[in-house]
Amino acid sequence: MTDNAQTKVLVVDDESAITEMYALWLDDDYAVETANDGATALATMSSATDVVLLDRRMPDLSGEEVLSTIRDQGWDCRVAMVTGVTPDADVIEMGFDDYLVKPVDREELTATVQALERRAAYDRRARELYALAAKRATLRTEGEDTEDVEEAIAELDERIAELNEDATMAIAEFDTTDFRAVFRDVTAPQHPT
């Protein structure tokens, strides 16, 4: 076990093969729990949960509803949506910290958990800036080329600019990897060349 052993990761997906695979990938470095539906995920949640990897489309209680409950309950954890759902303009108002589109490999999943673990130490403004930059990057790389998505990206650009003015001190907390990622996502042109 590494130093991350005390970091608690909850993997939520309605396909047990996926939760088992993700748990296997992360189990050597993290304390991993799994849930195959939204109700079980919420019953498993606690103040000790550090990172949640959450499928967006699940029967009965969707990942969006689980995410909303996590935020409403005030659990202070980082959440990455790990889903087959192509992001659309609706992701702007969702309270996730990162968004991965399936399929994901072990390296991508592990790197995401490590990044979310680091960001837990940042103040609220820095975490918000990173989440907005991640949403914008997700829409640019994975979103449909529609007017709604373009408007969502423009809205994110405005919100990032406003927050950026207020977050200079918070950015000083970023480690080099996160600083580069946010700087790249914040300063990248709206339309790739």
Side-chain angles (χ1 to χ4, degrees):
M1 286 258 178
T2 67
D3 303 31
N4 303 341
Q6 59 274 19
T7 298
K8 184 176 173 183
V9 178
L10 175 59
V11 179
V12 185
D13 196 296
D14 61 320
E15 294 185 41
S16 59
I18 290 178
T19 56
E20 290 170 14
M21 181 174 61
Y22 292 174
L24 183 65
W25 290 350
L26 299 169
D27 205 34
D28 287 343
D29 297 318
Y30 301 97
V32 180
E33 294 184 300
T34 62
N36 293 116
D37 60 74
T40 303
L42 292 173
T44 306
M45 282 292 304
S46 74
S47 60
T49 304
D50 299 300
V51 174
V52 179
L53 302 176
L54 181 60
D55 187 22
R56 189 169 171 188
R57 186 175 293 149
M58 296 185 294
D60 298 324
L61 195 60
S62 73
E64 292 174 45
E65 293 169 304
V66 172
L67 175 60
S68 180
T69 302
I70 287 171
R71 296 307 185 216
D72 289 347
Q73 294 292 322
W75 282 310
D76 187 27
C77 60
R78 309 288 51 89
V79 179
M81 302 303 279
V82 185
T83 180
V85 178
T86 301
D88 206 339
D90 62 346
V91 300
I92 289 181
E93 300 307 323
M94 293 175 63
F96 61 80
D97 298 285
D98 214 336
Y99 196 103
L100 304 177
V101 177
K102 293 176 184 175
V104 297
D105 60 25
R106 182 179 192 159
E107 184 177 307
E108 183 179 19
L109 191 74
T110 303
T112 298
V113 172
Q114 290 169 347
L116 293 174
E117 183 182 28
R118 282 191 314 270
R119 287 179 211 131
Y122 299 158
D123 81 358
R124 180 197 55 78
R125 292 169 302 170
R127 289 193 309 256
E128 184 179 355
L129 180 61
Y130 195 92
L132 291 173
K135 288 175 185 182
R136 185 174 66 180
T138 297
L139 286 174
R140 284 185 178 157
T141 58
E142 302 289 345
E144 301 278 334
D145 187 17
T146 65
E147 188 176 324
D148 284 349
V149 168
E150 290 300 319
E151 289 174 6
I153 291 171
E155 181 180 333
L156 286 167
D157 286 341
E158 287 178 30
R159 289 168 64 177
I160 288 168
E162 290 169 9
L163 190 58
N164 202 17
E165 290 176 20
D166 194 35
T168 304
M169 295 300 290
I171 290 173
E173 297 177 27
F174 282 20
D175 75 5
T176 306
T177 304
D178 286 340
F179 181 80
R180 277 191 224 133
V182 169
F183 184 76
R184 179 192 66 237
D185 292 342
V186 168
T187 60
Q190 189 164 345
H191 300 285
T193 55

